[in-house]
Amino acid sequence: MGSKNKLKRFNENATFNNVFQPTREEVTSDAFSMKGKWNKEVFKNNHPLVLELGCGKGEYSVGLAERYPDKNFIGVDIKGARFWRGAKTAVEGGMHNVAFLRTQIELIENCFAEGEVDEIWITFPDPQIKYKRTKHRLTNSEFLQRYKKILKHNGIMNLKTDSEFMHGYTLGLLHGQGHEVIYANHNVYKNEGSPEVVTAIQTFYESQYLEQNKAITYIQFKIK
């Protein structure tokens, strides 16, 4: 993507009322005004709050929001030029139950209050296969504890990935640490019993993976 195109998207994001772009200083100093107030200030209702972490273009967040109008969705990504597409689609479609937050996932507990979130989706994250990149895997122990802080008691986690490595790593970690695996499937489009929400929404890249005959995996779990 050219720098001019990126700049245009950044500028347009600034005009969208569904995009929030706090500075790192705001977030780390606990001065981010939306923390603990997302439903009250942004969505103006008490519906369940669902996050998509590493939302990319925002297709999954928008797709979920379309299917579940009685829930509120926030796509989180550090790359605003990517989720511009989802934010623009939501604005043009008059969707009021989806928003986007530009921040690092490492700072997620600074953006949401304890127990503020009902459910989290992680869709097609970078598996960070090299051992030295373990600390960057979005389902490592450290990240799980961050999510636990902002999730309600019995809050739900969802991991959807095309990476067999990420699927196996996460399952092993969950079982090894005594977390509750509710459902696991290593090929959601070929094995029966996949939840509809997992197969009904496809991102652009997911469609490409399927054309390459790559298996799409899914785990639903609770953090203990």
Side-chain angles (χ1 to χ4, degrees):
M1 188 190 303
S3 57
K4 283 186 179 178
N5 206 7
K6 270 189 177 180
L7 187 61
K8 181 183 175 184
R9 292 184 176 188
F10 283 134
N11 289 338
E12 200 165 0
N13 274 347
T15 70
F16 294 153
N17 63 4
N18 62 354
V19 171
F20 298 84
Q21 304 185 89
T23 65
R24 184 180 178 86
E25 187 181 358
E26 271 183 276
V27 172
T28 55
S29 65
D30 229 11
F32 182 42
S33 62
M34 286 299 107
K35 181 178 179 180
K37 300 176 183 176
W38 286 97
N39 276 353
K40 182 182 178 183
E41 300 289 338
V42 178
F43 301 109
K44 304 190 188 310
N45 59 47
N46 289 316
H47 294 168
L49 184 61
V50 183
L51 307 185
E52 183 195 2
L53 303 182
C55 69
K57 294 182 179 181
E59 301 153 287
Y60 221 85
S61 293
V62 170
L64 287 168
E66 286 175 334
R67 291 183 70 82
Y68 300 98
D70 57 345
K71 293 183 179 181
N72 301 323
F73 296 88
I74 300 175
V76 182
D77 207 296
I78 192 59
K79 297 190 176 177
R82 284 189 187 170
F83 68 57
W84 163 87
R85 178 65 271 169
K88 189 176 178 71
T89 297
V91 168
E92 291 177 344
M95 299 175 66
H96 300 294
N97 67 325
V98 59
F100 292 89
L101 170 64
R102 183 171 181 261
T103 195
Q104 292 173 300
I105 295 168
E106 290 90 332
L107 303 175
I108 199 71
E109 72 255 51
N110 297 90
C111 300
F112 297 89
E114 189 174 325
E116 186 174 11
V117 176
D118 293 81
E119 189 171 359
I120 293 175
W121 281 81
I122 302 174
T123 52
F124 304 99
D126 185 333
Q128 308 285 1
I129 291 173
K130 291 183 179 178
Y131 178 75
K132 65 181 181 181
R133 301 291 296 175
T134 302
K135 66 179 181 181
H136 297 290
R137 291 177 200 152
L138 292 185
T139 56
N140 71 27
S141 299
E142 217 171 277
F143 274 110
L144 292 185
Q145 291 311 306
R146 288 187 176 114
Y147 309 150
K148 184 179 179 180
K149 287 179 185 176
I150 63 173
L151 279 168
K152 285 184 168 63
H153 177 65
N154 281 330
I156 300 292
M157 292 288 307
N158 304 276
L159 171 68
K160 187 178 182 183
T161 176
D162 64 302
S163 169
E164 290 182 21
F165 169 83
M166 188 68 166
H167 181 78
Y169 165 80
T170 303
L171 261 186
L173 185 86
L174 296 174
H175 286 307
Q177 296 187 349
H179 302 297
E180 181 184 349
V181 176
I182 301 168
Y183 179 85
N185 190 326
H186 68 273
N187 196 331
V188 297
Y189 291 102
K190 289 190 177 178
N191 297 335
E192 292 183 6
S194 302
E196 186 191 6
V197 65
V198 180
T199 56
I201 303 169
Q202 286 182 18
T203 66
F204 171 76
Y205 291 112
E206 184 176 354
S207 301
Q208 288 190 329
Y209 299 149
L210 291 171
E211 285 177 12
Q212 297 165 18
N213 212 27
K214 291 185 82 173
I216 305 299
T217 72
Y218 172 70
I219 309 172
Q220 186 177 76
F221 60 98
K222 292 180 182 180
I223 304 168
K224 292 298 183 184

